[in-house]
Amino acid sequence: MTMMTHAEIQRGLAENHNAPNGTARNAHAEALVGAAEALGDAALFRDTLDNLIRAYLWSSESSKMLVPFARLLQEYDKDPGSFTTSDTRSLFWKFKWVASAISDSPEIPLESAWGWIAEMERRYRIAGYGERPVRKAEMWLAHSTGDDERADRAHRAWLAADRDSMSDCRACELNSQGNYTAWRGDDAQALEHWKPVLAGDRTCAEEPHRVLSGSLLPLLRLGRLDEARAHHLRGYRMARGNESLLPAVARHIEFCALSGNESRGLEILAEHAAHLGPLANVDDQLAFHGGILVLLRRLKELGHGDSPAASYEGVPRTVSELYELMYAGSLAIARRFDSRNGTTRTSDRFLARIGAQPLVGVLPLGVRSAQLPQTEGTAAAVGPVAAVPTAAAAATPEAAFTDLVERARQARDQGRPAADGLWAEVAVRMDALPEEGVDPLVAADVADSRALAAARAGAPEAAELLEAVRDRYRALGQDERAALAELRLASVAGQCGAEPDRVRELLAAAAWAAEALDPGEPLRARRIASAELASLRIEPYLRSRETGHEHADGHAHGHGHDHAHGHDPEHDRGQRELAAFAEAHAQTLPDLAADAEELLARVALSQGDPERAVVLLGSAARRVAEAGRPWQAVDPLVLRAGLLMSLGLPEEAEEAARSAVEFTVEITDAETQAAARLTLADALLRRADAAAEAAEHALTAAHWFDQAGLAALGGAQARFALATAYARDGRVPDAAEVLQSALPDLLEHGDSQAVSAREFLGDLLRRLNEPRAAAEQFLLAAEVAKDWDDPRPQADLAHSAADQLAAAQLPEEAAAAYERAVELHRMNGGAPVAEVRILRSLAWLALREGAFGASVARARFLMDEAAGVLEAALSSDPEDPRLRAELAQTWHQLAQVLDRQVTAAEHVDDEYGEDEDARPAERLDASETWALRLEEIGLCEQAAAVYAELGPDHLEDRLQCVQYAAWTEQELGRDEKGIARMSALVDELRELPEGTADGLLERAEYTLERLSAS
């Protein structure tokens, strides 16, 4: 094998330093240690040992750092003088990492572990460092071994000791302090310790990542659910895929298992399935696998033991199989620690952890997760449902059943949404009774409930079930119930596309059955009116089928008929009949009158008259609310709110949407619940100050859509609204996590929605400083928009992608995207500002290899081209303030390009000195430098003059130009001119009204003071 050279090892170290964390990086680092040792270069050998220790630290193999650290320590003891001050400090800093690794390694005897702590204390004392890190290491080792008295003593000593250069950063210390407090059972105090980290006041490479994960269960236990949700969304995004943060990932999985989000936990498990096998750091393995076991046990309890989970050791495993394998392996690790420590502390904690019960029923997270299949053990918690007021519990089972039937009938007759649930309960209890003990009328009522459910679902057997129900009721003398079944048969026939004559025949039969009811029947008038309204509702649809013009809604339950291109007397007659029906029954049957008004509203909407529809929907909602049926007001109010938003009446829309949500109290239909809340969220997003409340309603809407089986439809729209609300509320990581989860669904909602979603996600990723990922989204969106008639969206997306490609240090790709954006803007015309900004960006990209020769010429050409575009646009509108401001900005940036050229040339002079022959062509002589500096001053003067004409809104831009010119004057030795420029501006700023130049005057005075002192 060929020996590596010193240069090759140095290059390898540089590559390894920038490589992703993980076993591949560790293997490379190990090879470099061997190569350096073989080379015999002591200094290089120390560098490779240091590199290997760091590689291990940021991976799941952190316990392996003990061997290279011991070797590095030997090198120090052999020749301390060969270590620089920085090297020595770095060595002693690593003692803390090793102390943690020793505590996490059950193979190291406890006596040896304490010996390492003592050795750390001895060396720190000799080197002049304080005891704070030592006491912290002592605390955690004592804590893990079950010596709580020593742990508490060390904890107090740790916090009492002074901080010095060996102390951990404040973020890490606060993490440890909170963790220790949480382990001791004080969740509230732990969260207080973590507060500065969670708020972003204290951060480091792995914080707040770890603290966010550690806070999840304490927050759940304290009932602070909104914070728990937010910490999961933000924290998992930070920890995802990071090998050194597998214990944090496990806490997110555990959180999902204990908050009713088992499907989300499975998805996180799948993303980290590659780490399910044994890890070199067995303490990390125990922590990682422990969180997974909480999820797997929960899934088993819910009846998903036979469902696929993940591959383990290359073999796909079910939930139960994976649980058994990981449980056995984890318990074995825990007992190895117990054996080392002489206590059962580790295994006791492990068993308590994996046996934990859910802390909440279902905590909606907002992110899209695949629903688990329903099983007998699956909880049916979908949201709040109000029950119909009940009587006191009956004394006997028979009486209880009778009471249940009575409540179900009462709810049915009142039209309450809870009726379906009550009849379902009746059915369950009835099925448990012997057949001869079932009341025939109760059996008919249950059959009626099942037939109605089939009809609502569009089941093919609905008509047959309804016919059987009708016959049963007739046999029992329940004519009014039979009449209702007749009416439902007609509706089902229309819904299923039966021939119009057949539907009319059934409608006539329903009307006859209603009319034939005994005059003393209390519900006779309602049955007659319902039959009439059904005919008014269905007839337009039937006529449209006969004439070949599809009804506006395309089925028998559609509302209205679009005659925008012609006048239909039959249609007008139908509207008059509906209006007459509403008026006739307004007092006696207000809910049916409201139905008629809602139908009229939908007709008005189909005719392009939203204003009339708004009035009718408002009337319909008021009628049912005043009649004590508020749940029937939800649909018209939701539609009304949407119309009001489209009419530019956001306040009225919000009021309608709020009423709709208020009236959902008794609603059991998940889709209706979801629609009401999404509508309110949309209305609130029209306001600048309601993002937090909008997020709350969008989150609930997404949950309800999921429960309705509409996660890919309404659920995707709710998540888009939720991401929008989070972004406006400053919760950008949360917004990105939610939007990314919904993106696959949103891409199926048409090209416009796909472009909008990708652009939004790209912007969120930009704000999160993930430029490569942001650029990808912008480019994908541009690809979708490339065939649109209007090229402007594609141009804007290409521009955004170019900005992010440049930020990601991909200049060639960025330049190509910028040039494509310019091309698209020029195809469309009329976008000079966008074009100019792109040209300026291209100018700066031209300087990426250095501000010399052709690069500067290219940059200057592009800046001049940008100025030319603006001057051409200004020729037709000389006073356009935006164009003038852009022109001033272009001059200012051109001055900065020239400054870059001069500065680069000065660096060349510094490098080559007086050796004229050795200097490259990029050098500038004194006259060239002088000319460029004068040109810079002139450009800044031009820009400042334009900004002065544009007024107070551009004071800061003007100040920057004047400062630039003043300092450049000083570089030319013309100090007085520079001072005069700043003095004039300072005097002018002092004369402005108070508040006009907030902060600018102080900046100008400070610059003047520095110029004068130079």
Side-chain angles (χ1 to χ4, degrees), residues 631-651:
W631 54 87
Q632 289 182 230
V634 174
D635 283 346
L637 284 170
V638 167
L639 181 54
R640 186 171 190 269
L643 289 175
L644 288 166
M645 281 188 276
S646 70
L647 293 171
L649 299 168
E651 293 181 4

Side-chain angles (χ1 to χ4, degrees), residues 341-409:
N341 297 335
T343 71
T344 60
R345 167 63 62 87
T346 304
S347 58
D348 288 346
R349 277 193 175 154
F350 166 72
L351 293 172
R353 181 185 189 186
I354 65 170
Q357 293 301 307
L359 296 169
V360 296
V362 177
L363 175 63
L365 299 178
V367 289
R368 168 82 147 94
S369 293
Q371 294 290 298
L372 294 173
Q374 291 292 312
T375 66
E376 290 184 6
T378 303
V382 298
V385 177
V388 177
T390 63
T396 66
E398 294 80 5
F401 182 67
T402 301
D403 177 65
L404 176 62
V405 170
E406 182 57 34
R407 287 189 285 117
R409 285 173 176 160

